[in-house]
Amino acid sequence: MISFFKYFYNLSLGLIVLLYFSCAQFRGPKYPEIIYNNKQPLISVKYEYGEIQIILPIQYEGDIPENILFKVFAKADTMNPIISFLQEAPSEFRTTLPQGSLDITEKTNLIKIIPQDENFDPVSVRFKGIGFGRIVLPPKVIRSGQLIISGKTSLKNDTSILPKVKVAIKDSKEIIFTTFSNDSGFYQIAIPGESRFSENLRIVVGENLIFKPFSQKLIFENSRKLKINAFLGPSRAMRGPLYITEKDNVHFKKGPDIGAEILFLLNQGEVISVDRITPGSYHGFVEVEINGGKNVMMEGWVNRSDLRELNLNSIRKVIK
């Protein structure tokens, strides 16, 4: 009887070894349940074999990066990737992992999508794994990274801080985003990356003040970040009694007489430094910005009815 058991035991072990090598080579069937021989000595076998295939569809909005680095991490280990791929931007990411390599209870597995282009930010996809088989993840959209505009709002004459100034990003006349500078005069705005291709993108600062708003075209060349400090109101060069226009299209004339040549039109909020007065007109100077952002002083005449005296202690518009 003892010899019989030894024979059965050796035969069973031989079957286990044969089964192991056969499955490893030929990827044989899966046995998810424990197999018992139901005889003495009791021998059991539990064997599973398989792979995990991951499919992640990729979609693009706007520009497409040339190459993308994919890294797959498992079980909350974000330092050591299981596998990495650098490839041309695909329509879907596919990879195969060994069985049992993923966390199958929690979403601690991670795919990092790292475009090899500074105009794009890395994107992460967390997912719950399986023991073996195929995982098809929801599509992931790759967009250009956000554009960041930041700076401070100050008075032009003494660079003192101007808090709570309205800051808007506009594309033609359409407002894309609006915010206000904080108590320290600081503001920051993030807008979608595809806006960099707009030819009419500009920043407008100070629409809640009585001064002419600060306006500048936004041009993103080699960077996604712009620092723009907005200086509002008259500069130190504007001396003497100061007046401000109360409407748009105010005539700035060569002389005080009716029919005098109109040099140009002034917008609402333009400041004039007045040095002479006639019964119907003011003579003074305005600041005009020329190419390169430099200001020059221009002199001329404005009808008195189009101006009011500037009070620098009350520069915020009254909401009616």
Side-chain angles (χ1 to χ4, degrees):
M1 182 64 67
I2 294 175
S3 299
F4 173 80
F5 283 136
K6 287 184 177 179
Y7 173 80
F8 184 85
Y9 181 79
N10 292 333
L11 177 61
S12 300
L13 289 178
L15 288 173
I16 293 171
V17 173
L18 177 62
L19 178 62
Y20 176 83
F21 284 105
S22 298
C23 292
Q25 185 173 358
F26 300 105
R27 299 186 181 182
K30 171 187 67 176
Y31 298 94
E33 302 298 330
I34 294 176
I35 302 172
Y36 296 97
N37 65 349
N38 294 320
K39 295 181 180 181
Q40 294 296 330
L42 186 63
I43 298 174
S44 65
V45 177
K46 184 177 181 181
Y47 180 79
E48 293 181 2
Y49 181 85
E51 294 177 331
I52 306 167
Q53 184 182 35
I54 301 176
I55 300 175
L56 174 61
I58 305 293
Q59 298 175 355
Y60 303 92
E61 285 190 3
D63 202 10
I64 300 176
E66 185 174 349
N67 298 299
I68 297 179
L69 175 63
F70 293 91
K71 292 186 176 182
V72 182
F73 301 85
K75 302 176 181 179
D77 181 1
T78 57
M79 299 298 293
N80 304 295
I82 299 176
I83 199 165
S84 298
F85 282 100
L86 177 63
Q87 59 184 109
E88 292 184 4
S91 58
E92 65 179 19
F93 168 65
R94 286 176 174 259
T95 189
T96 301
L97 303 177
Q99 173 189 345
S101 58
L102 298 176
D103 186 343
I104 62 174
T105 59
E106 302 289 341
K107 287 187 175 182
T108 63
N109 309 297
L110 178 70
I111 300 175
K112 280 190 176 181
I113 306 171
I114 309 172
Q116 303 299 288
D117 186 324
E118 62 180 10
N119 293 320
F120 294 80
D121 292 322
V123 179
S124 297
V125 178
R126 293 191 177 274
F127 64 98
K128 181 179 177 181
I130 58 176
F132 51 85
R134 174 181 290 184
I135 303 175
V136 180
L137 298 172
K140 192 66 179 179
V141 178
I142 307 299
R143 303 180 178 89
S144 296
Q146 290 185 317
L147 306 174
I148 307 297
I149 307 103
S150 63
K152 287 193 172 184
T153 53
S154 310
L155 277 172
K156 190 184 293 183
N157 63 351
D158 60 3
T159 67
S160 60
I161 295 300
L162 274 177
K164 297 178 172 59
V165 177
K166 183 179 179 181
V167 183
I169 304 298
K170 298 184 178 182
D171 190 351
S172 295
K173 294 183 178 181
E174 180 183 358
I175 297 176
I176 296 178
F177 194 89
T178 300
T179 189
F180 289 83
S181 59
N182 62 18
D183 290 339
S184 300
F186 177 79
Y187 74 89
Q188 181 169 289
I189 292 178
I191 60 175
E194 55 266 27
S195 298
R196 71 185 301 137
F197 302 108
S198 173
E199 296 181 355
N200 301 307
L201 196 66
R202 60 195 177 97
I203 185 172
V204 179
V205 182
E207 290 183 312
N208 61 331
L209 305 181
I210 61 174
F211 304 124
K212 175 186 175 183
F214 170 92
S215 180
Q216 180 175 317
K217 188 173 182 179
L218 298 179
I219 300 176
F220 296 88
E221 294 180 342
N222 300 320
S223 175
R224 287 166 30 205
K225 295 182 179 180
L226 293 178
K227 184 176 181 180
I228 299 176
N229 293 322
F231 297 96
L232 298 153
S235 71
R236 293 181 179 180
M238 302 288 282
R239 302 179 182 277
L242 299 179
Y243 289 78
I244 191 169
T245 55
E246 294 198 283
K247 62 180 183 180
D248 286 329
N249 299 321
V250 170
H251 292 179
F252 192 71
K253 303 182 295 183
K254 196 169 185 177
D257 304 323
I258 296 175
E261 179 185 351
I262 298 173
L263 299 174
F264 45 83
L265 300 177
L266 301 177
N267 293 318
Q268 183 177 359
E270 296 272 12
V271 178
I272 300 174
S273 174
V274 174
D275 65 349
R276 278 185 285 166
I277 301 175
T278 68
S281 300
Y282 288 126
H283 176 271
F285 297 85
V286 296
E287 290 180 303
V288 178
E289 185 176 318
I290 59 175
N291 293 338
K294 183 179 179 181
N295 289 332
V296 296
M297 304 293 287
M298 302 285 293
E299 63 175 312
W301 293 84
V302 181
N303 293 336
R304 293 183 64 169
S305 60
D306 292 332
L307 301 176
R308 66 180 173 88
E309 191 171 2
L310 174 62
N311 179 6
L312 289 175
N313 294 318
S314 180
I315 63 172
R316 299 186 184 273
K317 289 182 179 178
V318 177
I319 301 175
K320 298 180 181 178

